[in-house]
Amino acid sequence: MHRGFITLHRKIVDWEWYSDVNVFRVFTHLILTANWEPKKWKGELVSRGQKITSIQHIAQETGLTPQSVRTAIEKLKLTGELTTKSTNKYTVVTLINYDFYQDKEKQL
């Protein structure tokens, strides 16, 4: 999981959520931990730019409270950065523009 790298463009400092520490932390955490290639998980295809997780799990991984994570995710959904699909066991988070953020062709 901790192999490789992500790209992060300097213009992220102009992003509307850059100054919201919790939103920025959750968003960058999701970019860092989302699938970079499609994989199967318990019979379900998890595409590039998706992550199977839960609010509690993201809270544990980031050191934020579950309410802070929930609020950050709602803000990111509001501005079209991600979508979520929840079941009673897990949530699939989809980063809408993952390929734009992590374009394999543009990497140096």
Side-chain angles (χ1 to χ4, degrees):
M1 172 54 121
H2 299 290
R3 296 183 315 232
F5 60 92
I6 65 164
T7 57
L8 187 62
H9 198 281
R10 291 181 192 276
K11 69 180 178 182
I12 197 153
V13 299
D14 298 326
W15 182 46
E16 66 184 297
W17 296 118
Y18 181 76
S19 62
D20 188 320
V21 175
N22 291 347
V23 175
F24 183 76
R25 184 173 188 140
V26 169
F27 184 69
T28 54
H29 177 73
L30 291 170
I31 289 175
L32 284 164
T33 58
N35 280 6
W36 59 276
E37 64 183 359
K39 292 184 181 177
K40 285 266 191 172
W41 183 79
K42 297 187 178 183
E44 183 170 342
L45 178 64
V46 184
S47 299
R48 174 177 162 81
Q50 291 186 317
K51 176 181 175 77
I52 292 185
T53 190
S54 67
I55 297 293
Q56 187 63 39
H57 192 76
I58 295 171
Q60 290 170 349
E61 292 174 329
T62 61
L64 298 172
T65 66
Q67 185 57 51
S68 294
V69 170
R70 196 173 292 109
T71 300
I73 287 176
E74 287 306 314
K75 289 178 178 180
L76 292 166
K77 287 168 64 174
L78 179 70
T79 57
E81 310 295 340
L82 57 81
T83 63
T84 60
K85 182 177 119 184
S86 297
T87 72
N88 61 343
K89 296 182 181 181
Y90 59 86
T91 298
V92 178
V93 176
T94 302
L95 294 160
I96 301 299
N97 291 316
Y98 184 83
D99 285 332
F100 175 76
Y101 304 132
Q102 302 303 306
D103 185 354
K104 290 179 184 178
E105 302 301 317
K106 290 183 183 176
Q107 293 175 359
L108 302 174

